[in-house]
Amino acid sequence: MADTTKKTIILFSGDYDKVMAALIIANGAAAMGDDVTIFATFWGLNALRKHQKVSVKKKPLQAMFGMMMPRGIKRLGMSKMNFAGMGPKMMDMVVKSEGAMFLPQLLEAAMEQGVKFVACTMTMDLLGFKKEELLDGIEYAGVASYLAEADEANVNLFI
Amino acid sequence: MADTTKKTIILFSGDYDKVMAALIIANGAAAMGDDVTIFATFWGLNALRKHQKVSVKKKPLQAMFGMMMPRGIKRLGMSKMNFAGMGPKMMDMVVKSEGAMFLPQLLEAAMEQGVKFVACTMTMDLLGFKKEELLDGIEYAGVASYLAEADEANVNLFI
Amino acid sequence: MADTTKKTIILFSGDYDKVMAALIIANGAAAMGDDVTIFATFWGLNALRKHQKVSVKKKPLQAMFGMMMPRGIKRLGMSKMNFAGMGPKMMDMVVKSEGAMFLPQLLEAAMEQGVKFVACTMTMDLLGFKKEELLDGIEYAGVASYLAEADEANVNLFI
């Protein structure tokens, strides 16, 4: 049964602002001693991509998907006020001026605090992501694994 | 009190990718023996529209809404990379090449597995949806019904 | 442990349709006697802005954010079918013709029913919101406060 020491987040979105919200919640819960699992699926997988180009063999359509999607957490767009890529730069400027944490720092902090990142293998197949392209230290699983963890958690968000 | 055998999903979105995520979670939970209810509201109602045109009398503004919104789960756009309708076709191609299930199949599987679909009557009124336009076998209710079900569930997502 | 008398909603979105969904759920739960807390963060803060212009000193970038974002719940855009601002007007027309409640009325009803509105102080700093610009009667807190409330609730949504 659910207790109050576990949280799960499905990270469907790969938008700068939504990923930031997810990571702030995850870091906050981890700081309070909770187990936190983030299941990245669809566009959320982009936040877990390595920034450097990784040479992997893909089918043509999935190679195209790969080129069109942002490579890593430093390249995400905003869900609002993206302004052709200026939005994230403006956000980074206010993050800096307010002394807040940048997205890559939030991700690193989450990993250091033991937040578990799981990449959804089914959407990896659809969008053509290979494990070599994603960050080290993450896990791989499907919907059954998500549901098993959600059943143990008391807060389950879809972001 | 909540046990771990019931899940609810508010399907607010009518985007191909988000509807797919909702149906994969619903099918996964149903396969594990859970009761699952999907409350379709706002754009999520489009996923429950019949594909054929149904002749019903509507007020002018709502007739216009009806014409502008996609008629059924085969016609949904993507939340990202829609490319004026090419995105869903590209997704269908990778779904096929990966041997995954197409959206209409996911919906059919969910219904066959006993996932309960409920259309939100309040947003049906606003957007001008008539019962004749929506799929057979779904139920109709409002927010009080959603809350009563959510109180019995241990995972409640808003998608 | 969670009981069934408390709900939380993270209101991340500032879209007319999503804010409407959040307020309908909140009002419904409050009418059933539940404690409801809405944590407004990022674009959701726009729904809690005063409509009149409030003169406050801001850094240049945040002053620009302030000008670009909608000032209050009467000025929100739609997540779909916004049509350069015509969408919300069309929605208001169907709300009126169906005898439903307009967004500002839903917000007022929620406040009268005791729904607690909390503005996320961290995103207020980032986007440059000052307390003087937000509605009277709301509270101010961060992620730790959200998590503490979510731990007491049985339904926690991210909208």
Side-chain angles (χ1 to χ4, degrees), chain C residues 2 8-9 12 14 18 26 30 32-33 47-48 50 56 60 64-65 70 73 76-77 87 98 103 106 111 134 142-143:
Chain C
T8 74
I9 294 172
F12 174 93
K18 290 197 175 177
M32 291 160 80
L48 300 183
K50 291 176 184 160
V56 285
M64 207 164 94
F65 280 160
I73 200 162
L76 305 179
E98 297 304 316
L103 267 189
L106 284 168
M111 288 187 164
L134 300 185
V143 67

PDB file of all heavy atoms in Angstrom, chain C residues 2 8-9 12 14 18 26 30 32-33 47-48 50 56 60 64-65 70 73 76-77 87 98 103 106 111 134 142-143:
ATOM      1  N   ALA C   2      -2.572   9.241   3.636  1.00  0.00           N
ATOM      2  CA  ALA C   2      -3.571   9.866   2.780  1.00  0.00           C
ATOM      3  C   ALA C   2      -4.984   9.452   3.182  1.00  0.00           C
ATOM      4  O   ALA C   2      -5.243   8.293   3.452  1.00  0.00           O
ATOM      5  CB  ALA C   2      -3.329   9.453   1.328  1.00  0.00           C
ATOM      6  N   THR C   8      -4.686  18.080  -4.133  1.00  0.00           N
ATOM      7  CA  THR C   8      -3.819  19.177  -4.574  1.00  0.00           C
ATOM      8  C   THR C   8      -3.737  19.193  -6.096  1.00  0.00           C
ATOM      9  O   THR C   8      -3.813  18.153  -6.750  1.00  0.00           O
ATOM     10  CB  THR C   8      -2.373  19.075  -4.032  1.00  0.00           C
ATOM     11  OG1 THR C   8      -1.666  18.038  -4.722  1.00  0.00           O
ATOM     12  CG2 THR C   8      -2.335  18.810  -2.546  1.00  0.00           C
ATOM     13  N   ILE C   9      -3.603  20.386  -6.620  1.00  0.00           N
ATOM     14  CA  ILE C   9      -3.411  20.568  -8.060  1.00  0.00           C
ATOM     15  C   ILE C   9      -2.223  21.504  -8.262  1.00  0.00           C
ATOM     16  O   ILE C   9      -2.204  22.598  -7.688  1.00  0.00           O
ATOM     17  CB  ILE C   9      -4.667  21.188  -8.726  1.00  0.00           C
ATOM     18  CG1 ILE C   9      -5.853  20.224  -8.646  1.00  0.00           C
ATOM     19  CG2 ILE C   9      -4.378  21.570 -10.183  1.00  0.00           C
ATOM     20  CD1 ILE C   9      -7.178  20.837  -9.095  1.00  0.00           C
ATOM     21  N   PHE C  12       0.368  24.460 -13.514  1.00  0.00           N
ATOM     22  CA  PHE C  12       1.545  24.892 -14.276  1.00  0.00           C
ATOM     23  C   PHE C  12       1.102  25.708 -15.485  1.00  0.00           C
ATOM     24  O   PHE C  12       1.738  26.657 -15.889  1.00  0.00           O
ATOM     25  CB  PHE C  12       2.312  23.648 -14.727  1.00  0.00           C
ATOM     26  CG  PHE C  12       3.469  23.945 -15.638  1.00  0.00           C
ATOM     27  CD1 PHE C  12       4.747  24.118 -15.119  1.00  0.00           C
ATOM     28  CD2 PHE C  12       3.285  24.050 -17.016  1.00  0.00           C
ATOM     29  CE1 PHE C  12       5.823  24.393 -15.971  1.00  0.00           C
ATOM     30  CE2 PHE C  12       4.358  24.328 -17.858  1.00  0.00           C
ATOM     31  CZ  PHE C  12       5.625  24.506 -17.333  1.00  0.00           C
ATOM     32  N   GLY C  14      -1.146  28.158 -17.928  1.00  0.00           N
ATOM     33  CA  GLY C  14      -1.930  29.374 -17.846  1.00  0.00           C
ATOM     34  C   GLY C  14      -2.894  29.448 -19.018  1.00  0.00           C
ATOM     35  O   GLY C  14      -3.336  30.534 -19.388  1.00  0.00           O
ATOM     36  N   LYS C  18      -7.130  24.787 -19.726  1.00  0.00           N
ATOM     37  CA  LYS C  18      -6.565  23.986 -18.643  1.00  0.00           C
ATOM     38  C   LYS C  18      -6.877  24.602 -17.284  1.00  0.00           C
ATOM     39  O   LYS C  18      -7.121  23.886 -16.308  1.00  0.00           O
ATOM     40  CB  LYS C  18      -5.053  23.830 -18.828  1.00  0.00           C
ATOM     41  CG  LYS C  18      -4.704  22.931 -20.010  1.00  0.00           C
ATOM     42  CD  LYS C  18      -3.264  22.457 -19.936  1.00  0.00           C
ATOM     43  CE  LYS C  18      -2.988  21.455 -21.055  1.00  0.00           C
ATOM     44  NZ  LYS C  18      -1.574  21.020 -21.060  1.00  0.00           N
ATOM     45  N   ALA C  26     -11.409  21.617  -8.805  1.00  0.00           N
ATOM     46  CA  ALA C  26     -11.249  22.189  -7.464  1.00  0.00           C
ATOM     47  C   ALA C  26     -12.599  22.545  -6.850  1.00  0.00           C
ATOM     48  O   ALA C  26     -12.871  22.232  -5.683  1.00  0.00           O
ATOM     49  CB  ALA C  26     -10.351  23.427  -7.528  1.00  0.00           C
ATOM     50  N   ALA C  30     -14.244  20.822  -3.580  1.00  0.00           N
ATOM     51  CA  ALA C  30     -14.598  21.681  -2.437  1.00  0.00           C
ATOM     52  C   ALA C  30     -16.076  21.540  -2.093  1.00  0.00           C
ATOM     53  O   ALA C  30     -16.451  21.514  -0.918  1.00  0.00           O
ATOM     54  CB  ALA C  30     -14.243  23.140  -2.749  1.00  0.00           C
ATOM     55  N   MET C  32     -17.780  18.957  -2.341  1.00  0.00           N
ATOM     56  CA  MET C  32     -17.957  17.677  -1.658  1.00  0.00           C
ATOM     57  C   MET C  32     -17.286  17.683  -0.282  1.00  0.00           C
ATOM     58  O   MET C  32     -17.213  16.640   0.380  1.00  0.00           O
ATOM     59  CB  MET C  32     -17.385  16.552  -2.519  1.00  0.00           C
ATOM     60  CG  MET C  32     -18.210  16.312  -3.798  1.00  0.00           C
ATOM     61  SD  MET C  32     -17.262  15.416  -5.076  1.00  0.00           S
ATOM     62  CE  MET C  32     -17.425  13.718  -4.457  1.00  0.00           C
ATOM     63  N   GLY C  33     -16.773  18.829   0.125  1.00  0.00           N
ATOM     64  CA  GLY C  33     -16.227  18.944   1.474  1.00  0.00           C
ATOM     65  C   GLY C  33     -14.728  18.703   1.575  1.00  0.00           C
ATOM     66  O   GLY C  33     -14.177  18.669   2.680  1.00  0.00           O
ATOM     67  N   ALA C  47      -2.895  33.287 -14.091  1.00  0.00           N
ATOM     68  CA  ALA C  47      -4.308  33.204 -13.715  1.00  0.00           C
ATOM     69  C   ALA C  47      -4.578  33.915 -12.398  1.00  0.00           C
ATOM     70  O   ALA C  47      -5.723  34.234 -12.080  1.00  0.00           O
ATOM     71  CB  ALA C  47      -4.744  31.739 -13.612  1.00  0.00           C
ATOM     72  N   LEU C  48      -3.516  34.154 -11.634  1.00  0.00           N
ATOM     73  CA  LEU C  48      -3.674  34.810 -10.327  1.00  0.00           C
ATOM     74  C   LEU C  48      -3.219  36.278 -10.357  1.00  0.00           C
ATOM     75  O   LEU C  48      -3.140  36.928  -9.319  1.00  0.00           O
ATOM     76  CB  LEU C  48      -2.882  34.038  -9.259  1.00  0.00           C
ATOM     77  CG  LEU C  48      -3.294  32.582  -9.054  1.00  0.00           C
ATOM     78  CD1 LEU C  48      -2.488  31.949  -7.931  1.00  0.00           C
ATOM     79  CD2 LEU C  48      -4.798  32.473  -8.739  1.00  0.00           C
ATOM     80  N   LYS C  50      -3.555  40.245 -10.944  1.00  0.00           N
ATOM     81  CA  LYS C  50      -4.603  41.265 -10.972  1.00  0.00           C
ATOM     82  C   LYS C  50      -4.749  41.769 -12.405  1.00  0.00           C
ATOM     83  O   LYS C  50      -3.774  41.823 -13.150  1.00  0.00           O
ATOM     84  CB  LYS C  50      -4.232  42.422 -10.047  1.00  0.00           C
ATOM     85  CG  LYS C  50      -4.270  42.064  -8.563  1.00  0.00           C
ATOM     86  CD  LYS C  50      -3.804  43.237  -7.700  1.00  0.00           C
ATOM     87  CE  LYS C  50      -3.761  42.822  -6.226  1.00  0.00           C
ATOM     88  NZ  LYS C  50      -2.892  43.708  -5.416  1.00  0.00           N
ATOM     89  N   VAL C  56       5.335  48.194 -10.282  1.00  0.00           N
ATOM     90  CA  VAL C  56       6.374  47.624  -9.415  1.00  0.00           C
ATOM     91  C   VAL C  56       7.704  47.696 -10.152  1.00  0.00           C
ATOM     92  O   VAL C  56       7.749  47.748 -11.369  1.00  0.00           O
ATOM     93  CB  VAL C  56       6.085  46.140  -9.053  1.00  0.00           C
ATOM     94  CG1 VAL C  56       4.979  46.030  -8.035  1.00  0.00           C
ATOM     95  CG2 VAL C  56       5.734  45.346 -10.305  1.00  0.00           C
ATOM     96  N   PRO C  60      15.018  44.494 -16.137  1.00  0.00           N
ATOM     97  CA  PRO C  60      14.541  44.633 -17.523  1.00  0.00           C
ATOM     98  C   PRO C  60      13.951  43.359 -18.127  1.00  0.00           C
ATOM     99  O   PRO C  60      12.858  43.394 -18.714  1.00  0.00           O
ATOM    100  CB  PRO C  60      15.813  45.034 -18.287  1.00  0.00           C
ATOM    101  CG  PRO C  60      16.704  45.655 -17.266  1.00  0.00           C
ATOM    102  CD  PRO C  60      16.406  44.964 -15.971  1.00  0.00           C
ATOM    103  N   MET C  64      10.019  42.634 -19.146  1.00  0.00           N
ATOM    104  CA  MET C  64       9.613  42.186 -20.475  1.00  0.00           C
ATOM    105  C   MET C  64       8.708  40.953 -20.376  1.00  0.00           C
ATOM    106  O   MET C  64       7.662  40.888 -21.024  1.00  0.00           O
ATOM    107  CB  MET C  64      10.857  41.841 -21.276  1.00  0.00           C
ATOM    108  CG  MET C  64      10.687  41.984 -22.764  1.00  0.00           C
ATOM    109  SD  MET C  64      12.312  42.009 -23.575  1.00  0.00           S
ATOM    110  CE  MET C  64      12.504  40.285 -23.997  1.00  0.00           C
ATOM    111  N   PHE C  65       9.121  39.979 -19.553  1.00  0.00           N
ATOM    112  CA  PHE C  65       8.252  38.819 -19.309  1.00  0.00           C
ATOM    113  C   PHE C  65       6.862  39.298 -18.873  1.00  0.00           C
ATOM    114  O   PHE C  65       5.842  38.826 -19.366  1.00  0.00           O
ATOM    115  CB  PHE C  65       8.823  37.935 -18.183  1.00  0.00           C
ATOM    116  CG  PHE C  65       9.926  37.008 -18.599  1.00  0.00           C
ATOM    117  CD1 PHE C  65      10.795  36.478 -17.647  1.00  0.00           C
ATOM    118  CD2 PHE C  65      10.106  36.628 -19.919  1.00  0.00           C
ATOM    119  CE1 PHE C  65      11.818  35.599 -18.003  1.00  0.00           C
ATOM    120  CE2 PHE C  65      11.125  35.754 -20.293  1.00  0.00           C
ATOM    121  CZ  PHE C  65      11.977  35.245 -19.325  1.00  0.00           C
ATOM    122  N   PRO C  70      -0.108  37.220 -20.131  1.00  0.00           N
ATOM    123  CA  PRO C  70      -1.453  37.766 -19.916  1.00  0.00           C
ATOM    124  C   PRO C  70      -1.664  38.228 -18.477  1.00  0.00           C
ATOM    125  O   PRO C  70      -1.263  37.559 -17.531  1.00  0.00           O
ATOM    126  CB  PRO C  70      -2.377  36.592 -20.254  1.00  0.00           C
ATOM    127  CG  PRO C  70      -1.527  35.377 -20.126  1.00  0.00           C
ATOM    128  CD  PRO C  70      -0.128  35.794 -20.460  1.00  0.00           C
ATOM    129  N   ILE C  73      -6.874  36.370 -15.217  1.00  0.00           N
ATOM    130  CA  ILE C  73      -7.643  35.231 -15.713  1.00  0.00           C
ATOM    131  C   ILE C  73      -8.571  35.588 -16.873  1.00  0.00           C
ATOM    132  O   ILE C  73      -8.999  34.725 -17.622  1.00  0.00           O
ATOM    133  CB  ILE C  73      -8.421  34.575 -14.536  1.00  0.00           C
ATOM    134  CG1 ILE C  73      -8.819  33.138 -14.878  1.00  0.00           C
ATOM    135  CG2 ILE C  73      -9.629  35.429 -14.144  1.00  0.00           C
ATOM    136  CD1 ILE C  73      -9.186  32.316 -13.673  1.00  0.00           C
ATOM    137  N   LEU C  76      -6.467  35.026 -20.586  1.00  0.00           N
ATOM    138  CA  LEU C  76      -5.724  33.807 -20.924  1.00  0.00           C
ATOM    139  C   LEU C  76      -6.046  33.335 -22.343  1.00  0.00           C
ATOM    140  O   LEU C  76      -7.173  33.489 -22.814  1.00  0.00           O
ATOM    141  CB  LEU C  76      -6.057  32.699 -19.917  1.00  0.00           C
ATOM    142  CG  LEU C  76      -5.843  33.043 -18.442  1.00  0.00           C
ATOM    143  CD1 LEU C  76      -6.229  31.858 -17.562  1.00  0.00           C
ATOM    144  CD2 LEU C  76      -4.417  33.486 -18.165  1.00  0.00           C
ATOM    145  N   GLY C  77      -5.064  32.754 -22.998  1.00  0.00           N
ATOM    146  CA  GLY C  77      -5.268  32.147 -24.307  1.00  0.00           C
ATOM    147  C   GLY C  77      -5.624  30.680 -24.175  1.00  0.00           C
ATOM    148  O   GLY C  77      -5.564  30.115 -23.088  1.00  0.00           O
ATOM    149  N   GLY C  87     -10.279  32.464 -29.906  1.00  0.00           N
ATOM    150  CA  GLY C  87     -10.692  31.227 -29.250  1.00  0.00           C
ATOM    151  C   GLY C  87     -11.334  31.456 -27.877  1.00  0.00           C
ATOM    152  O   GLY C  87     -12.435  30.969 -27.613  1.00  0.00           O
ATOM    153  N   GLU C  98     -24.532  28.168 -22.755  1.00  0.00           N
ATOM    154  CA  GLU C  98     -24.833  26.931 -22.023  1.00  0.00           C
ATOM    155  C   GLU C  98     -25.134  27.190 -20.549  1.00  0.00           C
ATOM    156  O   GLU C  98     -25.376  26.252 -19.790  1.00  0.00           O
ATOM    157  CB  GLU C  98     -23.663  25.941 -22.140  1.00  0.00           C
ATOM    158  CG  GLU C  98     -23.370  25.480 -23.552  1.00  0.00           C
ATOM    159  CD  GLU C  98     -24.597  24.866 -24.233  1.00  0.00           C
ATOM    160  OE1 GLU C  98     -25.298  24.082 -23.574  1.00  0.00           O
ATOM    161  OE2 GLU C  98     -24.854  25.203 -25.411  1.00  0.00           O
ATOM    162  N   LEU C 103     -14.634  31.813 -16.461  1.00  0.00           N
ATOM    163  CA  LEU C 103     -13.399  31.591 -15.706  1.00  0.00           C
ATOM    164  C   LEU C 103     -13.300  32.453 -14.440  1.00  0.00           C
ATOM    165  O   LEU C 103     -12.997  31.925 -13.364  1.00  0.00           O
ATOM    166  CB  LEU C 103     -12.181  31.876 -16.592  1.00  0.00           C
ATOM    167  CG  LEU C 103     -11.566  30.698 -17.344  1.00  0.00           C
ATOM    168  CD1 LEU C 103     -10.248  31.130 -17.969  1.00  0.00           C
ATOM    169  CD2 LEU C 103     -11.314  29.535 -16.387  1.00  0.00           C
ATOM    170  N   LEU C 106     -15.513  31.042 -11.839  1.00  0.00           N
ATOM    171  CA  LEU C 106     -15.007  29.782 -11.289  1.00  0.00           C
ATOM    172  C   LEU C 106     -13.920  30.046 -10.254  1.00  0.00           C
ATOM    173  O   LEU C 106     -13.851  29.376  -9.214  1.00  0.00           O
ATOM    174  CB  LEU C 106     -14.438  28.902 -12.415  1.00  0.00           C
ATOM    175  CG  LEU C 106     -15.454  28.183 -13.305  1.00  0.00           C
ATOM    176  CD1 LEU C 106     -14.760  27.604 -14.539  1.00  0.00           C
ATOM    177  CD2 LEU C 106     -16.171  27.078 -12.530  1.00  0.00           C
ATOM    178  N   MET C 111     -12.458  30.460  -4.465  1.00  0.00           N
ATOM    179  CA  MET C 111     -11.982  31.195  -3.298  1.00  0.00           C
ATOM    180  C   MET C 111     -13.048  31.237  -2.207  1.00  0.00           C
ATOM    181  O   MET C 111     -12.747  31.071  -1.031  1.00  0.00           O
ATOM    182  CB  MET C 111     -11.553  32.598  -3.706  1.00  0.00           C
ATOM    183  CG  MET C 111     -10.233  32.591  -4.503  1.00  0.00           C
ATOM    184  SD  MET C 111      -9.584  34.257  -4.823  1.00  0.00           S
ATOM    185  CE  MET C 111      -7.870  33.862  -5.312  1.00  0.00           C
ATOM    186  N   LEU C 134      -0.280  40.072  -7.686  1.00  0.00           N
ATOM    187  CA  LEU C 134      -1.147  38.881  -7.616  1.00  0.00           C
ATOM    188  C   LEU C 134      -2.361  39.162  -6.734  1.00  0.00           C
ATOM    189  O   LEU C 134      -2.386  40.123  -5.960  1.00  0.00           O
ATOM    190  CB  LEU C 134      -0.339  37.688  -7.101  1.00  0.00           C
ATOM    191  CG  LEU C 134       0.878  37.302  -7.975  1.00  0.00           C
ATOM    192  CD1 LEU C 134       1.542  36.030  -7.442  1.00  0.00           C
ATOM    193  CD2 LEU C 134       0.492  37.116  -9.433  1.00  0.00           C
ATOM    194  N   GLY C 142       6.944  27.369  -1.395  1.00  0.00           N
ATOM    195  CA  GLY C 142       7.802  26.667  -2.345  1.00  0.00           C
ATOM    196  C   GLY C 142       7.476  25.189  -2.418  1.00  0.00           C
ATOM    197  O   GLY C 142       6.451  24.732  -1.914  1.00  0.00           O
ATOM    198  N   VAL C 143       8.379  24.457  -3.024  1.00  0.00           N
ATOM    199  CA  VAL C 143       8.124  23.050  -3.332  1.00  0.00           C
ATOM    200  C   VAL C 143       7.984  22.190  -2.066  1.00  0.00           C
ATOM    201  O   VAL C 143       7.196  21.229  -2.046  1.00  0.00           O
ATOM    202  CB  VAL C 143       9.213  22.485  -4.279  1.00  0.00           C
ATOM    203  CG1 VAL C 143      10.571  22.424  -3.600  1.00  0.00           C
ATOM    204  CG2 VAL C 143       8.835  21.108  -4.802  1.00  0.00           C
TER     205      VAL C 143
END
